[in-house]
């Protein structure tokens, strides 16, 4: 059973690679960013709470994403495996995920860190043209990543679950490296 957690800075290619690998493995690609953007577009209560945080490059409060993921991982398609993209993003979320998975008797294989140099990240994000990809917001998102999400590298290393992949290689090579893990 394939269950992977994708780590990496904004612009590291998590979304692109998670989508490809999930397609190959025929398991759901679960992206909190995609779920939140859809909630914003549909103006659901979740979307209304999340919007201002997302627009400014801040993280949405832990409790909102924790509730969202508890529900998403209990859906039937998630019983055959999954790739998580963009969750967890804080140590609180990672600790919650460990607790939830032991509660529902699931184990993840690895936390995969896609490594990409900062200057490449910024160039990629500026070229992407998403609504939350203006230069100020990009800078803030990278800062938030360093402060709140990068500590997860150590969190998973301590648990001997961390695998690093060169995210600056051509996309096909990154996919091939990831395929070797599953
Ligand atoms: P992403 O598409 O993963 O870059 O996420 C876009 C935005 O959604 C982020 O900048 C955050 O505002 C919010 N977001 C996504 N996932 C999380 C998470 N796990 N915790 C908090 N905020 C999140």
């Amino acid at each position: 059973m394939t269950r992977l957690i994708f780590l990496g800075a904004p612009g590291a290619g998590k979304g692109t690679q998670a989508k490809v690998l999930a397609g190959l493995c025929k398991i759901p690609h679960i992206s909190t960013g995609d779920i939140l953007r859809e909630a914003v577009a549909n103006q659901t209560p979740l979307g209304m709470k999340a919007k201002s945080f997302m627009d400014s490059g801040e993280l949405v409060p832990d409790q909102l994403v924790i509730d969202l993921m508890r529900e998403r991982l209990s859906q039937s398609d998630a019983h055959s495996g999954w790739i998580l993209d963009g969750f967890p993003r804080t140590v609180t979320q990672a600790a919650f995920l460990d607790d939830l998975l032991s509660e529902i008797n699931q184990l993840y294989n690895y936390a995969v860190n896609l490594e990409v140099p900062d200057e490449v990240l910024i160039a990629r994000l500026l070229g992407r043209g998403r609504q939350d990809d203006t230069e100020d917001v990009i800078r803030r998102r990278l800062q938030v990543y360093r402060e709140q999400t990068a500590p997860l590298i150590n969190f998973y290393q301590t648990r001997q679950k961390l695998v690093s992949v060169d995210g600056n290689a051509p996309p096909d090579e990154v996919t091939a490296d990831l395929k070797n893990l599953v």
Side-chain angles (χ1 to χ4, degrees), residues 10 14 31-34 36-37 53-54 57-62 65 85-90 93 128 130 132 141:
K14 293 189 300 293
S31 154
T32 41
D34 285 351
L36 290 167
R37 274 185 290 279
F53 296 99
M54 297 173 74
E58 301 295 328
L59 294 183
V60 167
D62 282 332
V65 276
D85 158 20
F87 181 92
R89 262 218 192 34
T90 63
Q93 293 177 19
R128 195 161 73 170
R130 211 168 73 185
D132 58 348
R141 290 169 70 214

Side-chain angles (χ1 to χ4, degrees), residues 16-100:
T16 309
Q17 292 294 338
K19 207 170 294 169
V20 172
L21 195 66
L24 291 169
C25 299
K26 301 189 169 53
I27 53 177
H29 161 220
I30 300 179
S31 154
T32 41
D34 285 351
I35 295 170
L36 290 167
R37 274 185 290 279
E38 197 183 320
V40 170
N42 293 329
Q43 298 185 319
T44 67
L46 170 67
M48 278 159 15
K49 286 183 204 136
K51 186 177 186 323
S52 62
F53 296 99
M54 297 173 74
D55 286 346
S56 56
E58 301 295 328
L59 294 183
V60 167
D62 282 332
Q63 201 55 50
L64 287 183
V65 276
I66 281 174
D67 290 345
L68 177 169
M69 284 305 286
R70 189 196 302 280
E71 193 192 317
R72 183 63 188 89
L73 288 176
S74 72
Q75 288 170 13
S76 59
D77 66 337
H79 295 157
S80 58
W82 35 252
I83 295 177
L84 302 191
D85 158 20
F87 181 92
R89 262 218 192 34
T90 63
V91 172
T92 302
Q93 293 177 19
F96 157 80
L97 181 63
D98 274 7
D99 289 349
L100 176 68

